[in-house]
Amino acid sequence: MHIAVVGGGVVGMTTAYELNRRGHQVTVLERHSMAGNETSKANAAQRSYGVVYPWADPAIVFKAIPWILKQDGPLKLRFPPSVETLKFMFATLRYAWSPGLFGLNRRAMLRLGIHSRERFLALEKELDLSFDGDHQGLLHLASTPEALEGYRTTHELLNELGIPSRLLTPEQVRDAEPGMVGNGPLYGALSYDTDGTGDCHKFSQELAKACQAKGIVVRYNVEAEKLIADDQRVSAISVRNSDGVMEALEVDAVVISAGCWSNHLVQPLGLELPIYPVKGYSLTVPMKDPERGPASTIHDDNYKVVSTRLGNRLRATGFVELADFNRDIPEARLATIRKSVESRFPGCADLDAAETWSGFRPMTPDGPAIIGRGPRDNLYLNTGHGTFGWTLSAGSADVIAQVIEGEEPAISLDAFRPGRFQE
């Protein structure tokens, strides 16, 4: 069966790999000149299988306004907010206030995280990929006694689901991270012992090469303009080539993995995907003193900034900003990220010389990704992973391939069903 995957980010490339592994002929359509060059390019670099949680968190709702108003607050809102931003915010509130939904969605995402870790380990065993990948865990720091107390509930949930974690004292944190000698407040941490790291951009490109070696066609600099379909099936994709010429690519099935740009393809077929581009920022810089840098991934709850070790480089990422598709990088955002790193790992890198980035996480208003069959018999979706695309990509690729094959998915996909926003 010839299957087209629209989108060559980490979700699209892992999907293509899983479909090829099952014997399908696969064509990937990517609008950029290389794989993983949009949301996958310079994200937080953490594969945080035990950290995943829904966007519509009732505990965060009451913190939102103080965070927006605080200069170093992790949530930012562009004023005046657009109609699309307001729609997304109100939808988020509705899901956050739906009794019991957050807990159900969180468990579903954690189960997908467990499966994704298993698939990543298998994939890395199958392929020799160079992407500064590791699985040395993640530390979620507690800057207040209240934060540490809150981690106890998370620790109990992780234990219930069989995800290894530990509550650490400040001394144990510094033993695990000897380079963390800064003066940032520290009351302990929750250690996610089996979480991982890796350069998602490098991984996507390495996987694209491996896919091409296996016969997968990866077409760059092309735009999927429209799905050509009747009431039952998609027969072709209208594709605009780099020279502007249009063609109809005939397909037996289609998987949409186009992140924030997924909705325009399925909306004409009657499915609305309320995916919003939640903006984030990052710094990437070679470490001038690796001994003073993080050993793995550190989530600084004081600034809500994540610092990750990528070989001899440091990646520091922060903020969730509701600003539509605005790509500006305000100096104030970068200053907060630098402040966080210096408060934990002073002198590890020349942060003023870092490569800067901003990108858009494809967020659904409730939080879980969109995984499953679409509004036509041969149309499938694997998109809308928000801040956890890198983390969940291997698992979601495997389960959407199982759906296409008519197999029972490895996990329940009820929380991820594509039509839930119209129910």
Side-chain angles (χ1 to χ4, degrees):
M1 187 160 64
H2 178 212
I3 304 176
V5 177
V6 181
V10 68
V11 174
M13 290 315 309
T14 49
T15 299
Y17 176 77
E18 289 292 347
L19 291 170
N20 174 266
R21 197 168 66 86
R22 289 165 167 81
H24 296 290
Q25 176 191 351
V26 182
T27 299
V28 178
L29 303 176
E30 170 52 48
R31 64 193 182 93
H32 286 285
S33 60
M34 63 185 74
N37 207 44
E38 187 60 66
T39 308
S40 302
K41 186 172 184 179
N43 59 22
Q46 60 184 92
R47 290 183 283 177
S48 47
Y49 318 108
V51 177
V52 290
Y53 59 90
W55 161 260
D57 182 351
I60 301 300
V61 169
F62 298 104
K63 299 178 183 178
I65 293 178
W67 278 354
I68 290 171
L69 297 176
K70 184 181 177 183
Q71 182 176 351
D72 291 330
L75 177 62
K76 296 299 176 187
L77 175 64
R78 188 183 185 193
F79 287 97
S82 68
V83 172
E84 288 303 313
T85 300
L86 291 172
K87 284 170 60 178
F88 180 72
M89 292 172 66
F90 283 120
T92 295
L93 287 173
R94 180 166 66 87
Y95 287 116
W97 289 336
S98 297
L101 184 64
F102 176 81
L104 291 172
N105 284 344
R106 186 180 190 185
R107 288 171 181 270
M109 293 175 70
L110 284 167
R111 290 188 179 100
L112 181 55
I114 293 169
H115 185 60
S116 195
R117 184 178 189 276
E118 293 171 355
R119 283 306 306 147
F120 265 121
L121 292 175
L123 191 152
E124 290 175 45
K125 189 174 181 179
E126 293 163 9
L127 301 174
D128 183 19
L129 305 178
S130 175
F131 61 101
D132 292 325
D134 216 331
H135 279 94
Q136 293 193 57
L138 177 150
L139 293 184
H140 204 152
L141 305 183
S143 296
T144 64
E146 293 77 17
L148 185 62
E149 191 59 33
Y151 294 164
R152 296 188 189 280
T153 302
T154 300
H155 177 53
E156 292 170 3
L157 173 61
L158 296 176
N159 282 345
E160 178 190 331
L161 295 173
I163 301 172
S165 66
R166 292 171 295 147
L167 288 166
L168 305 183
T169 65
E171 292 74 21
Q172 290 172 318
V173 172
R174 293 192 174 96
D175 286 343
E177 288 286 348
M180 199 170 72
V181 297
N183 59 5
L186 182 63
Y187 287 84
L190 178 59
S191 173
Y192 299 80
D193 295 341
T194 56
D195 278 11
T197 55
D199 188 322
C200 185
H201 184 53
K202 281 188 174 183
F203 176 88
S204 301
Q205 293 184 326
E206 287 276 301
L207 184 58
K209 293 175 186 175
C211 284
Q212 289 172 307
K214 292 179 177 293
I216 294 173
V217 176
V218 184
R219 296 180 58 180
Y220 297 112
N221 298 308
V222 297
E223 192 82 37
E225 296 275 346
K226 181 182 177 182
L227 300 179
I228 301 171
D230 58 23
D231 290 342
Q232 280 76 44
R233 297 178 62 81
V234 176
S235 59
I237 304 174
S238 181
V239 178
R240 183 184 300 277
N241 295 315
S242 57
D243 55 6
V245 175
M246 300 295 296
E247 67 167 293
L249 176 68
E250 294 185 357
V251 295
D252 297 312
V254 180
V255 182
I256 305 298
S257 296
C260 297
W261 294 267
S262 298
N263 190 48
H264 85 276
L265 289 169
V266 300
Q267 191 179 44
L269 304 185
L271 180 63
E272 188 74 30
L273 302 180
I275 297 173
Y276 186 87
V278 173
K279 187 179 180 183
Y281 301 86
S282 76
L283 302 170
T284 307
V285 63
M287 284 189 283
K288 63 183 181 183
D289 188 350
E291 297 296 320
R292 300 174 71 175
S296 188
T297 294
I298 300 295
H299 188 291
D300 176 12
D301 73 318
N302 194 33
Y303 290 98
K304 304 296 187 291
V305 168
V306 175
S307 296
T308 298
R309 177 72 164 261
L310 291 173
N312 286 322
R313 294 176 298 149
L314 173 74
R315 169 76 52 76
T317 312
F319 292 99
V320 290
E321 183 168 335
L322 308 182
D324 298 309
F325 285 101
N326 180 286
R327 289 189 184 269
D328 293 347
I329 305 180
E331 172 56 31
R333 307 287 188 270
L334 304 180
T336 297
I337 296 173
R338 287 194 291 263
K339 197 182 300 183
S340 171
V341 176
E342 283 297 312
S343 74
R344 301 297 181 183
F345 301 97
C348 72
D350 182 4
L351 297 171
D352 289 324
E355 179 182 348
T356 62
W357 172 86
S358 69
F360 307 113
R361 299 95 153 206
M363 190 72 74
T364 60
D366 57 349
I370 299 165
I371 306 171
R373 189 187 301 273
R376 298 295 184 273
D377 292 344
N378 61 340
L379 175 61
Y380 303 89
L381 296 111
N382 185 18
T383 190
H385 292 71
T387 56
F388 298 112
W390 179 209
T391 295
L392 299 177
S393 57
S396 63
D398 186 53
V399 294
I400 195 61
Q402 291 170 338
V403 170
I404 292 170
E405 289 283 89
E407 303 170 5
E408 184 71 22
I411 65 163
S412 170
L413 293 180
D414 185 61
F416 307 94
R417 61 194 186 281
R420 66 187 188 270
F421 304 107
Q422 295 168 298
E423 295 173 353

